[in-house]
């Protein structure tokens, strides 16, 4: 038996013919940047998310960088201001803040949700706080109405990192990526909506923010050969936009399969060493990853056991951001819940192509681990 953590070849093959046609159309059309494919993807994706604007860019990290940089350029924030961010996140969220000379204020997650603990946010707010960054990590909606209330009370921007949550919703029906003032999206191949290379986007209802981000990602230019900002070249290319236009059509269907897989795990994993985060209402989870927590110091043991039996798993993430060398100044900080997640988390295979027979085999193996 060989069940990879995620077979991108299978994921692409699922809509392979249409993807190949789309790529050929761009190749033969002779227009490779800032063309019709980007225009239609931006329209389609903003409609899907429920925002007025979508601006394509090179990758998810850049999308987040451009949001904060735009707020600096717009005078909404200044260097040295603080941004509240979950301590348990992929490092890109935090890099986007420090890249702009802003100060991340790390807030612990709840162990039963793995998402930012909204009851700890207010105590972290200071006169320098300008924004809260929520990360819908693992595909789980991290926004709460309490977070929205804090943003209003303290006049903070709400920035969503929606890299892992394409198709996730809030209880009120809003799609993640449309809840905050701005959202960064990644189309890294392994994401729910993945390109065949790097890609990203910013969604927002704010016309000034959208225009500023668009300029920043295009050398800082709004008019050819006229430069308003010292920007960079961070664009989504036409081939990737064409691929994303195809894959977006199937995102809801692909996510539905993820849900079926996740429910099977929830209902059948019964190894006392393994716990799972609280089951959310279906619409609040895009099931990008399926995180489990392995107690007794046995996470790596389970990983190896599954690997020996042909099942690929990945830890998201083995070293918390505050323990990374690039953030030496935080290395002595104690964030016990984040650290416990880094020690115990293991992601089981989930995706649009894994078969239910494979899922059953994984459950049997996980349950037989001692
Ligand atoms: C993937 C990811 C990013 C970065 O996206 P890239 O396209 O890989 O740059 C940012 N935040 C989170 C939570 C991610 O998972």
């Amino acid at each position: 038996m060989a069940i990879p953590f995620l077979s991108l070849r299978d994921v692409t093959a699922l809509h392979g013919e249409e993807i190949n046609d789309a790529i050929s159309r761009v190749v033969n059309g002779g227009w490779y940047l800032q063309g019709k494919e980007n225009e239609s993807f931006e329209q389609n994706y903003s409609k899907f998310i429920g925002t007025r604007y979508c601006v394509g860019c090179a990758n998810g990290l850049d999308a987040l960088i451009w949001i904060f940089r735009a707020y600096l350029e717009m005078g909404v924030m200044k260097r040295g201001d603080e941004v509240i961010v979950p301590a348990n996140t992929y490092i890109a969220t935090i890099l986007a803040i420090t890249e702009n000379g802003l100060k991340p204020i790390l807030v612990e997650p709840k162990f039963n949700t793995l998402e930012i603990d909204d009851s700890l946010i207010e105590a972290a707010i200071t006169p320098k706080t300008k924004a809260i960054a929520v990360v819908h990590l693992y595909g789980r909606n991290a926004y709460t109405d309490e977070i929205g209330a804090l943003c209003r009370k303290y006049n903070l921007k709400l920035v969503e990192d929606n890299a892992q949550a394409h198709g996730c919703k809030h209880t009120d029906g809003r799609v993640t990526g449309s809840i905050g003032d701005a959202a960064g999206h990644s189309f890294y191949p392994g994401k729910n909506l993945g390109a065949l290379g790097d890609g990203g986007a910013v969604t927002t209802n704010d016309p000034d923010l959208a225009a500023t981000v668009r300029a920043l990602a295009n050398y800082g230019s709004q008019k050819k050969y006229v430069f308003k900002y010292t920007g960079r070249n961070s664009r989504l290319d036409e081939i990737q936009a064409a691929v994303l236009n195809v894959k977006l059509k199937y995102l809801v269907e692909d996510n539905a399969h993820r849900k079926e897989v996740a429910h099977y795990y929830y209902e059948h994993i019964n190894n006392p060493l393994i716990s799972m985060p609280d089951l959310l209402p279906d619409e609040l989870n895009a099931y990008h990853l399926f995180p489990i927590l392995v107690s007794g110091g046995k996470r790596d043991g389970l990983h190896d056991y599954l690997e020996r039996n042909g099942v690929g798993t990945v830890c998201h993430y083995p070293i918390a951001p505050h323990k990374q060398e690039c953030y030496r100044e935080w290395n002595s900080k104690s964030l016990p819940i984040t650290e416990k997640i880094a020690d115990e988390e293991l992601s089981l295979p989930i995706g649009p192509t894994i078969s239910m027979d494979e899922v059953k085999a994984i459950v049997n193996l996980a349950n037989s681990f001692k």
Side-chain angles (χ1 to χ4, degrees), residues 296-329:
K298 296 198 168 175
R299 188 263 312 276
D300 295 342
L302 177 59
H303 168 274
D304 295 349
Y305 175 77
L306 291 174
E307 189 166 87
R308 279 198 304 279
N309 287 283
V311 175
T313 58
V314 177
C315 169
H316 297 94
Y317 298 91
I319 307 172
H322 71 285
K323 293 292 184 190
Q324 297 287 351
E325 193 178 344
C326 63
Y327 291 126
R328 268 170 229 95
E329 64 276 27

Side-chain angles (χ1 to χ4, degrees), residues 14-157:
L14 200 55
H15 314 294
E17 213 173 305
E18 242 185 291
I19 289 172
N20 276 316
D21 288 349
I23 293 172
S24 300
R25 187 174 67 233
V26 178
V27 170
N28 297 325
W31 191 279
Y32 306 123
L33 283 165
Q34 295 182 299
K36 291 200 291 273
E37 299 292 341
N38 262 265
E39 219 173 276
S40 80
F41 177 67
E42 288 180 352
Q43 252 169 38
N44 295 336
Y45 195 63
S46 59
K47 189 166 162 208
F48 176 81
I49 295 293
T51 53
R52 283 173 65 193
Y53 306 99
C54 168
V55 181
C57 65
N59 56 65
L61 172 59
D62 276 3
L64 293 164
I65 288 175
W66 298 137
I67 291 169
F68 290 108
R69 172 77 187 274
Y71 280 133
L72 293 177
E73 298 290 352
M74 291 159 73
V76 173
M77 297 176 193
K78 58 180 190 315
R79 287 178 200 281
D81 282 343
E82 295 174 0
V83 178
I84 289 175
V85 65
N88 182 45
T89 183
Y90 180 57
I91 197 135
T93 326
I94 299 173
L95 289 173
I97 297 167
T98 55
E99 166 88 15
N100 280 296
L102 296 161
K103 188 177 175 201
I105 303 296
L106 307 180
V107 170
E108 283 264 73
K110 286 187 187 155
F111 192 69
N112 63 322
T113 67
L114 309 177
E115 307 298 335
I116 193 165
D117 184 344
D118 58 7
S119 73
L120 301 177
I121 293 176
E122 191 158 21
I125 294 173
T126 76
K128 287 190 157 185
T129 310
K130 290 290 157 60
I132 300 176
V134 291
V135 183
H136 307 297
L137 202 65
Y138 314 111
R140 301 169 60 89
N141 180 1
Y143 175 79
T144 62
D145 294 325
E146 289 70 23
I147 293 175
L150 286 172
C151 288
R152 287 188 293 276
K153 181 170 171 188
Y154 293 96
N155 192 26
L156 308 176
K157 294 293 181 193

